[in-house]
Amino acid sequence: MQLSPAHHDERLSAPRSWWGIAALTGLACALTLLPLGTLPMLAGLVGGTALAALLVSSYGSARVRVVNGSLAAGEARIPVAALGEPEVLDAEEARAWRTYKADVRAFMLMRSYVPTAVRVEVTDPADPTPYVYVSTREPRALAAAIRAAQAVPATGA
């Protein structure tokens, strides 16, 4: 089965260094419980590491997809018919749109460890959201998938 050009699927997983921090968090929990004995120390190591790993995994599980005529970014699902022309943002421009150019009404799926992004204006007049900002490691591919999905007629697939 070959995917259409309007398909894009990307997981914004956390960087490897964050997993090391999760392990160090478990070690810190273990050292905190060391005065209580070996068993509490081991419980702190396992529990602290597991909790930190769960948080890293949860934060790094965001997906960005273009499928079935919709842009799915995290929990949001936006029909591409309600979107304008996608704008590929390099690292500097993406930082600007995350900071001083940002609009509080915008939908933003940001990951600090992903330097590039795509910004797409929302053209639906009933939607108060001015634009969608999505962090992505493949901004050109995401923009191309959005354009391809917009080119597909609404009645056909």
Side-chain angles (χ1 to χ4, degrees):
M1 179 176 107
Q2 187 170 354
L3 298 173
S4 73
H7 180 82
H8 178 83
D9 193 354
E10 176 182 8
R11 184 171 301 278
L12 300 177
S13 57
R16 290 186 192 128
S17 61
W18 287 26
W19 294 101
I21 293 169
L24 290 174
T25 301
L27 184 60
C29 289
L31 291 174
T32 302
L33 297 173
L34 179 62
L36 300 177
T38 305
L39 196 55
M41 179 194 68
L42 290 175
L45 177 66
V46 171
T49 303
L51 181 61
L54 179 68
L55 290 172
V56 169
S57 176
S58 172
Y59 187 73
S61 67
R63 284 179 78 182
V64 176
R65 302 182 325 154
V66 176
V67 65
N68 296 330
S70 292
L71 169 63
E75 297 297 319
R77 304 285 180 268
I78 307 145
V80 294
L83 298 174
E85 177 67 17
E87 178 185 356
V88 173
L89 304 175
D90 62 14
E92 185 177 324
E93 193 64 20
R95 184 182 156 283
W97 280 102
R98 283 192 310 266
T99 56
Y100 64 90
K101 285 186 177 181
D103 187 325
V104 296
R105 300 170 300 153
F107 171 78
M108 302 180 99
L109 178 67
M110 294 186 294
R111 293 299 183 257
S112 61
Y113 47 84
V114 179
T116 55
V118 168
R119 188 182 80 85
V120 190
E121 288 194 36
V122 176
T123 58
D124 182 0
D127 192 342
T129 308
Y131 61 88
V132 176
Y133 174 100
V134 181
S135 291
T136 175
R137 290 185 176 98
E138 304 169 1
R140 284 179 176 64
L142 176 58
I146 292 170
R147 285 186 196 104
Q150 288 171 332
V152 174
T155 57

